[in-house]
């Protein structure tokens, strides 16, 4: 779990000692929410729809449903199937979407480059020789399906965020509700809500410290809790009903539904809470390994939960007092009730922490893919990659959690709301996994259909029961999801339209090269970083800038910060650097690539590293241009291409010096080019790739020793001049040229489109973090160019 994502896939994870350690650590991060579900499952199930009778058919039927639900969904679906659909070890909704986008052209933002496919993390399953995947062809053919797929992904994302509001509330409230067994009803009524709110405020107030500060407490707490509930379960089974295991038979499910009929179907909305937190196994896969999560669930979490539910059912099967409150704590012996209560509160805090961290992570991913307004992302750990904190989201979640607690005031309504959110996320995962089976794994369509029908039908059964509780709390996640969907889809739609506008209004290279003293254009000292979403061409905001202020910097760099459909981009592959025009113009293009789980650098390290990458590129590019004394045998015949159309990956490995070499260049994996410089002691690894060429190339460099020194001297002077210009410009200062955009709907647009763009998007833009804040640009170095996008 090093900060450098490239180490996340180190083979050292394969040792059994490491796997067992990761399995232990996963208890605190992955299983906190799932492990505390016994606190509220029986309480929610018997809240209103069904009653506990002398025949015990309701209790036995509920236990049977819980057992088979835990077996089918978390164990069979997630552990054995979904966890295998990882994206370079990462899991979650965006990991599935990323996999599909890499194997099929379904992304709505057309900034995909062939060079991206050379990334080491851009792994793809090898397709059969005759790849006639009808599902893939269908997805790529219709743009409406691209939009529909994005909407499904956003729906799952919104429900995860909604779960981030509901899970802390129901978890802490259910744990604190144990006071009702030890207090009078009058005192209990006035104690539970304030205590719950106080714990929630403390939980959210401590988020800015990061989970790594208290994370080492999490695993022992959850482990102790699991051992506690399993021990209590065994105690209740042996004391009250040793034959409770017979209720695990599916026969009791049918008997339960036969007796309770529609009320039994409605009660499924409470039973499904036993699998809350199952999605965390997949979402947090990137911090652990498939084997670690599989071992932890199969051999510890799953048996402990089954024993806990069996123990509760065994106790209730022998207690039929109508005044009995069906709660987890009534089955706890009075002598240990207070320690169990304290442990339950600690476990609920751990479970809440996991979903809060997951909410931060998924919002950061949404932001990376242009689906969420810009927010401040703070990296809370220098050692553990992916631990982040988002201040705005944190306080909004806290206010909503407290509002839910005060507004609902009971487990029933919170459970109905949480259940709908959980089942929606699981349905989205099932649908996306079915597509991965066909499009990415190249399995028969019938296999994906069987997966979809089997697990989808089980989840739809629970989903239908949850939807019927709309007026009893299920309206909340629907309202939250609708609100978030509007925001996310509107932001993404406007982002696409802005990109298309920039693409159609970019200016030519000839226009840039024509700018000079004859037109009254001056070059001023310094480096100008022009930020744009375009990967090619000159952006319109720069032409607007030069038109209104006839001067630009001596060193000009067009910077594109883009997200690629991979979880992480290693530092060695992050920068694509190339020239814009001839070397004398001193203009460059730099594409900075991030994965959807990467946290962007702050501006200090970014500008320093960018200048260093330019230095490395200049040294490499001048070496490459020594065509007079270097013979190049290139099967692709690209030696005469202008360097302005080439982009070079500048990495960070050691540089190999040698007189002549022969290398095999290929995009997968990217080939490395090793060259020698007499004036350079340490260079970075450089990888040359043609932006539009993905064929394998064989290149041989042979250096003529007789004229080598003369050519090195001539080229060295020109290279030194360019480097001196770069360093002088760096000393003069770096300016960040950003577009300040206003979006307007074009004439003739519908009223809905005008409302969405003119008012909705611009309101979001004015009230979210600006690009300069997101990039941490010093105000003194900022130049903003106003742009009106008519879309």
């Amino acid at each position: 779990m090093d900060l450098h994502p490239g180490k996340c896939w180190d083979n050292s994870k394969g040792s059994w000692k490491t796997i067992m350690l990761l399995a232990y650590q996963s208890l605190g991060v992955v299983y906190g929410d799932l492990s505390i579900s016994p606190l509220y499952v029986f309480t929610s199930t018997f809240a209103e729809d069904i009653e506990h009778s002398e025949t015990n058919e309701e209790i036995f039927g509920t236990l049977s449903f819980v057992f088979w639900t835990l077996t089918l969904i978390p164990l069979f679906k997630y552990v054995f199937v979904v966890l295998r659909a990882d994206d370079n070890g990462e899991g979650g909704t965006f990991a599935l979407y990323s996999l599909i986008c890499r194997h099929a052209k379904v992304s709505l933002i057309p900034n995909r480059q062939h060079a991206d496919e050379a990334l080491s993390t851009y792994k793809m399953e090898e397709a059969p020789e005759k790849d006639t995947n009808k599902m893939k062809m269908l997805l790529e053919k219709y743009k409406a399906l691209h939009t529909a797929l994005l909407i499904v992904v956003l729906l799952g994302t919104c429900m995860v965020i909604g779960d981030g509001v509901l899970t802390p509330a129901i978890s802490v409230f259910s744990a604190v509700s144990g006071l009702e067994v030890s207090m009078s009803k009058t005192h209990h009524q006035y104690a539970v809500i304030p205590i719950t709110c106080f714990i929630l405020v403390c939980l959210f107030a401590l988020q800015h410290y990061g989970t790594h500060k208290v994370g080492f407490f999490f695993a022992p707490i959850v482990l102790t809790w699991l051992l506690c509930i399993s021990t209590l379960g065994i105690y209740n089974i042996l004391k009250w009903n040793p034959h409770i295991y017979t209720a695990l038979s599916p026969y009791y499910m049918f008997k339960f539904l036969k007796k309770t009929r529609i009320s039994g179907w409605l009660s499924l909305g409470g039973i499904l809470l036993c699998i809350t937190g199952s999605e965390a196994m997949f979402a947090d896969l990137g911090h652990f390994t498939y084997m670690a999560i599989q071992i932890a669930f199969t051999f510890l979490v799953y048996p402990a939960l089954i024993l806990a539910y069996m123990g509760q059912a065994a106790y209730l099967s022998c207690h039929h007092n109508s005044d009995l409150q069906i709660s987890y704590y009534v089955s706890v012996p009075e002598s240990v009730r207070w320690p169990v209560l304290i442990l339950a509160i600690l476990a609920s805090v751990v479970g809440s922490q996991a979903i809060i961290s997951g909410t931060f992570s998924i919002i950061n991913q949404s932001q990376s893919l242009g689906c969420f307004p810009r927010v401040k992302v703070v990296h809370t750990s220098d050692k553990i990659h992916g631990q982040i904190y988002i201040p705005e989201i944190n306080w909004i979640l806290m206010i909503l959690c407290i509002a839910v607690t005060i507004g609902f005031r009971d487990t029933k309504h919170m459970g109905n709301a949480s259940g709908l959110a959980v089942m929606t996320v699981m349905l989205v995962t099932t649908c996306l996994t079915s597509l991965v089976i066909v499009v990415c794994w190249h399995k028969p369509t019938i296999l994906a259909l069987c997966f979809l029908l089997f697990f989808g039908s089980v989840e739809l059964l629970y989903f239908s029961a949850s939807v019927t509780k709309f007026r009893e709390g299920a309206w909340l996640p629907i309202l939250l999801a609708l609100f978030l969907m509007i925001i996310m889809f509107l932001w993404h739609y406007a982002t696409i339209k802005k990109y298309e506008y920039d693409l159609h209004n970019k200016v030519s290279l000839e226009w840039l090269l024509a700018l000079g003293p004859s037109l009254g254009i001056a070059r001023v000292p310094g480096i100008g970083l022009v930020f744009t979403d375009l990967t090619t061409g000159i952006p319109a905001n720069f032409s607007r800038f030069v038109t209104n202020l006839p001067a630009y910097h001596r060193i000009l760099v067009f910077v594109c910060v883009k997200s690629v459909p991979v979880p992480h981009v290693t530092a060695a592959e992050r920068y694509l650097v190339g020239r814009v025009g001839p070397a004398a113009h001193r203009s460059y293009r730099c594409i900075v690539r991030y994965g959807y789980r990467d946290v962007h650098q702050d501006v200090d390290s970014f500008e320093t590293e960018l200048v260093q990458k330019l230095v490395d590129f200049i040294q490499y590019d001048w070496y490459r241009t020594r065509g007079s004394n270097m013979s190049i045998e290139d099967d692709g015949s690209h030696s005469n291409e202008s360097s302005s159309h080439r982009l070079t990956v500048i990495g960070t490995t050691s540089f190999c010096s040698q007189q002549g070499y022969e290398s095999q260049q290929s995009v997968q994996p990217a080939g490395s080019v090793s060259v020698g410089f007499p004036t350079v002691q340490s260079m970075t690894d450089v990888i040359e790739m043609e932006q539009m060429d993905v064929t394998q190339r064989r290149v041989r460099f042979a250096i003529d020793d007789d004229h080598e020194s003369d050519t090195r001297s001539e080229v060295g002077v020109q290279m030194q001049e360019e480097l001196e210009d770069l360093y002088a410009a760096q000393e003069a200062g770096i300016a960040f040229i950003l577009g300040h955009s206003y979006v307007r709907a074009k004439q003739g647009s519908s009223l809905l489109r005008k409302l969405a763009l003119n008012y909705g998007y611009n309101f979001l833009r004015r009230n979210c973090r600006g690009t300069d804040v997101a990039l941490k640009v010093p105000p003194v170095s900022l130049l903003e160019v106003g742009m009106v996008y008519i879309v």
Side-chain angles (χ1 to χ4, degrees):
M1 296 192 295
D2 192 86
L3 177 65
H4 302 287
K7 296 182 181 180
C8 291
W9 308 293
D10 194 277
N11 291 331
S12 61
K13 277 190 175 182
S15 68
W16 277 105
K17 183 179 178 181
T18 307
I19 289 174
M20 295 307 293
L21 179 62
L22 288 172
Y24 168 73
Q25 292 175 342
S26 70
L27 294 176
V29 177
V30 178
Y31 297 110
D33 188 13
L34 187 61
S35 65
I36 58 175
S37 57
L39 291 174
Y40 45 78
V41 169
F42 279 92
T43 306
S44 299
T45 304
F46 288 89
E48 184 180 69
D49 300 308
I50 57 176
E51 295 180 356
H52 180 30
S53 65
E54 295 285 343
T55 61
N56 288 327
E57 289 180 348
E58 294 84 2
I59 286 293
F60 292 162
T62 300
L63 176 61
S64 184
F65 264 107
V66 167
F67 172 76
W68 287 105
T69 303
L70 276 171
T71 303
L72 291 177
I73 304 300
L75 187 62
F76 288 172
K77 176 190 165 183
Y78 279 95
V79 171
F80 293 118
V81 181
V82 175
L83 288 182
R84 297 181 182 274
D86 67 292
D87 182 12
N88 291 281
E90 296 290 343
T93 305
F94 278 103
L96 294 172
Y97 183 60
S98 170
L99 277 174
I100 296 169
C101 285
R102 290 213 300 273
H103 289 80
K105 297 177 182 178
V106 294
S107 177
L108 291 177
I109 297 182
N111 64 349
R112 182 174 174 177
Q113 297 173 279
H114 286 296
D116 297 338
E117 298 179 13
L119 292 169
S120 59
T121 51
Y122 203 100
K123 296 178 182 177
M124 295 177 63
E125 297 286 338
E126 292 186 7
E129 292 184 4
K130 295 182 179 180
D131 187 11
T132 57
N133 195 319
K134 293 182 179 179
M135 180 62 71
K136 177 182 175 181
M137 295 168 62
L138 185 67
L139 279 174
E140 293 179 340
K141 184 176 181 182
Y142 298 102
K143 193 173 182 180
L145 292 179
H146 302 180
T147 306
L149 181 63
L150 178 67
I151 290 175
V152 170
V153 172
L154 294 183
L155 176 62
T157 303
C158 293
M159 284 299 181
V160 170
I161 298 172
D163 201 24
V165 173
L166 297 165
T167 293
I170 189 174
S171 299
V172 177
F173 182 86
S174 300
V176 177
S177 294
L179 292 172
E180 68 184 351
V181 183
S182 305
M183 299 174 64
S184 64
K185 188 174 182 180
T186 305
H187 291 90
H188 167 261
Q189 183 179 358
Y190 295 103
V192 172
I193 300 297
I195 293 174
T196 301
C197 292
F198 175 75
I199 293 174
L200 288 173
V201 169
C202 293
L203 176 64
F204 283 99
L206 295 174
Q207 289 299 313
H208 68 281
Y209 290 110
T211 56
H212 67 286
K213 296 288 179 66
V214 291
F216 61 92
F217 285 122
F218 286 2
I221 289 173
V222 176
L223 178 61
T224 306
W225 170 251
L226 289 171
L227 294 176
C228 174
I229 61 175
S230 57
T231 303
L232 290 172
I234 294 172
Y235 168 80
N236 285 322
I237 292 170
L238 296 177
K239 183 174 181 179
W240 301 110
N241 191 348
H243 300 287
I244 191 67
Y245 65 87
T246 58
L248 301 180
S249 170
Y251 166 75
Y252 286 93
M253 288 194 294
F254 296 106
K255 196 173 181 180
F256 168 81
L257 292 174
K258 184 178 180 180
K259 179 181 179 180
T260 57
R261 297 184 183 277
I262 191 169
S263 60
W265 168 62
L266 293 174
S267 70
L268 294 178
I271 295 174
L272 68 86
L273 295 176
C274 70
I275 53 175
T276 55
S278 299
E279 185 72 21
M281 286 193 289
F282 185 46
D284 294 325
L285 181 62
H287 293 155
F288 304 99
T289 62
Y290 167 73
M291 185 67 71
I293 291 179
Q294 187 181 45
I295 289 174
F297 181 80
T298 307
F299 297 103
L300 180 59
V301 180
Y302 177 73
L305 290 175
I306 297 300
L307 287 173
Y309 287 116
M310 288 176 67
Q312 277 186 273
Y315 178 87
L316 294 172
S317 66
C318 296
H319 295 78
H320 304 90
N321 188 350
S322 59
D323 296 331
L324 179 69
Q325 172 70 32
I326 295 183
S327 167
Y328 176 76
Y329 293 100
V330 299
S331 63
V332 179
E334 192 171 351
S335 59
V336 295
R337 193 166 287 163
W338 279 102
V340 171
L341 173 64
I342 294 171
L343 187 58
I345 293 174
L346 292 175
S348 68
V349 169
V350 173
S352 302
Q353 177 62 58
I355 191 66
I356 292 169
S357 300
T359 304
F360 292 157
S361 178
I362 203 164
I363 287 176
N364 182 50
Q365 295 172 36
S366 304
Q367 182 181 241
S368 298
L369 295 176
C371 297
F372 201 86
R374 290 180 296 271
V375 290
K376 182 180 181 181
V377 178
V378 179
H379 206 291
T380 60
S381 174
D382 294 331
K383 296 180 180 179
I384 303 176
H385 184 84
Q387 287 196 357
I388 58 175
Y389 166 69
I390 304 178
E392 300 98 319
I393 302 301
N394 182 65
W395 302 121
I396 291 173
L397 286 178
M398 186 192 76
I399 293 170
L400 291 175
C401 278
I402 293 174
V404 167
T405 304
I406 296 174
F408 284 158
R409 291 176 173 265
D410 62 26
T411 308
K412 170 193 164 186
H413 288 82
M414 293 182 193
N416 292 337
S418 180
L420 182 63
V422 168
M423 290 318 303
T424 305
V425 175
M426 290 187 175
L427 275 170
V428 168
T429 300
T430 301
C431 295
L432 293 178
T433 305
S434 302
L435 284 177
V436 168
I437 291 173
V438 177
V439 176
C440 306
W441 295 351
H442 309 290
K443 301 297 182 183
T445 307
I446 188 66
L447 186 64
L449 192 60
C450 290
F451 176 84
L452 179 64
L453 290 177
F454 181 74
F455 292 106
S457 60
V458 175
E459 291 163 355
L460 276 175
L461 176 66
Y462 285 112
F463 180 79
S464 62
S466 297
V467 170
T468 57
K469 303 292 183 67
F470 181 83
R471 298 179 63 182
E472 287 82 32
W475 58 268
L476 181 59
I478 295 176
L479 183 64
L480 283 173
L482 182 62
F483 179 71
L484 289 169
M485 282 278 290
I486 291 173
I487 290 176
M488 295 173 76
F489 191 77
L490 177 58
W491 188 268
H492 190 68
Y493 176 77
T495 301
I496 293 171
K497 292 302 176 184
K498 285 171 59 181
Y499 183 85
E500 291 175 350
Y501 181 91
D502 281 336
L503 200 61
H504 294 142
N505 290 275
K506 65 182 180 180
V507 296
S508 65
L509 176 62
E510 288 72 17
W511 175 88
L512 177 66
L513 299 179
L515 298 176
S518 59
L519 298 178
I521 306 295
R523 300 291 291 268
V524 299
I527 299 177
L529 302 182
V530 182
F531 283 81
T532 174
D533 292 329
L534 298 178
T535 56
T536 58
I538 312 301
N541 64 344
F542 179 71
S543 65
R544 176 73 60 88
F545 171 75
V546 175
T547 301
N548 290 276
L549 184 66
Y552 61 96
H553 295 82
R554 186 70 185 92
I555 302 294
L556 192 63
V557 185
F558 295 98
V559 181
C560 172
V561 180
K562 61 176 281 189
S563 291
V564 290
V566 295
H568 303 290
V569 176
T570 61
E573 299 174 308
R574 178 151 293 153
Y575 289 86
L576 270 174
V577 185
R579 292 192 186 278
V580 178
H585 198 269
R586 302 294 193 259
S587 297
Y588 310 91
R589 183 179 307 282
C590 180
I591 299 175
V592 189
R593 302 177 292 182
Y594 288 96
Y596 55 81
R597 280 188 179 270
D598 286 330
V599 178
H600 293 204
Q601 298 163 286
D602 58 59
V603 71
D604 294 328
S605 62
F606 172 73
E607 65 182 30
T608 303
E609 190 169 345
L610 179 61
V611 171
Q612 183 58 48
K613 298 302 178 186
L614 288 175
V615 170
D616 295 341
F617 169 76
I618 290 168
Q619 291 171 327
Y620 168 62
D621 191 63
W622 277 109
Y623 177 85
R624 185 175 58 183
T625 56
R626 287 190 225 161
S628 59
N629 78 318
M630 187 183 298
S631 62
I632 302 180
E633 298 177 10
D634 190 340
D635 297 339
S637 302
H638 295 285
S639 57
N640 294 325
E641 288 189 13
S642 171
S643 63
S644 63
H645 296 292
R646 294 186 177 188
L647 292 174
T648 303
V649 176
I650 305 295
T652 55
T653 59
S654 60
F655 202 83
C656 178
S657 178
Q658 56 187 25
Q659 284 286 359
Y661 71 94
E662 181 176 312
S663 73
Q664 187 75 19
Q665 282 187 302
S666 175
V667 171
Q668 294 194 13
S672 64
V673 179
S674 302
V675 291
F677 292 97
T679 59
V680 181
Q681 299 299 323
S682 176
M683 273 287 292
T684 57
D685 185 38
V686 284
I687 306 166
E688 180 187 355
M689 284 181 292
E690 295 299 332
Q691 187 173 348
M692 302 303 295
D693 181 27
V694 295
T695 58
Q696 194 175 51
R697 303 175 57 206
R698 186 177 184 84
V699 185
R700 178 181 295 118
F701 289 83
I703 299 176
D704 187 354
D705 293 333
D706 295 336
H707 304 285
E708 180 182 350
S709 58
D710 295 337
T711 306
R712 280 177 183 259
S713 176
E714 180 183 346
V715 171
V717 170
Q718 298 178 31
M719 181 178 69
Q720 193 64 32
E721 289 177 356
E722 187 171 2
L723 290 176
E724 288 175 357
D725 288 346
L726 178 62
Y727 288 130
Q730 185 182 15
E731 289 295 325
I734 298 178
F736 295 79
I737 304 171
L738 305 176
H740 192 80
S741 60
Y742 298 88
V743 178
R744 292 284 183 272
K746 59 185 176 183
Q747 290 185 348
S749 300
S750 64
L751 178 62
L752 180 62
R753 182 186 173 96
K754 288 180 179 178
L755 288 173
L757 293 176
N758 296 354
Y759 299 99
Y761 174 77
N762 285 320
F763 174 80
L764 292 174
R765 181 190 55 77
R766 288 193 300 269
N767 290 278
C768 73
R769 300 272 180 173
T771 309
D772 56 323
V773 178
L775 294 170
K776 300 179 183 178
V777 177
V780 69
S781 303
L782 176 63
L783 287 173
E784 286 192 303
V785 182
M787 283 287 296
V788 178
Y789 290 83
I790 308 298
V791 297

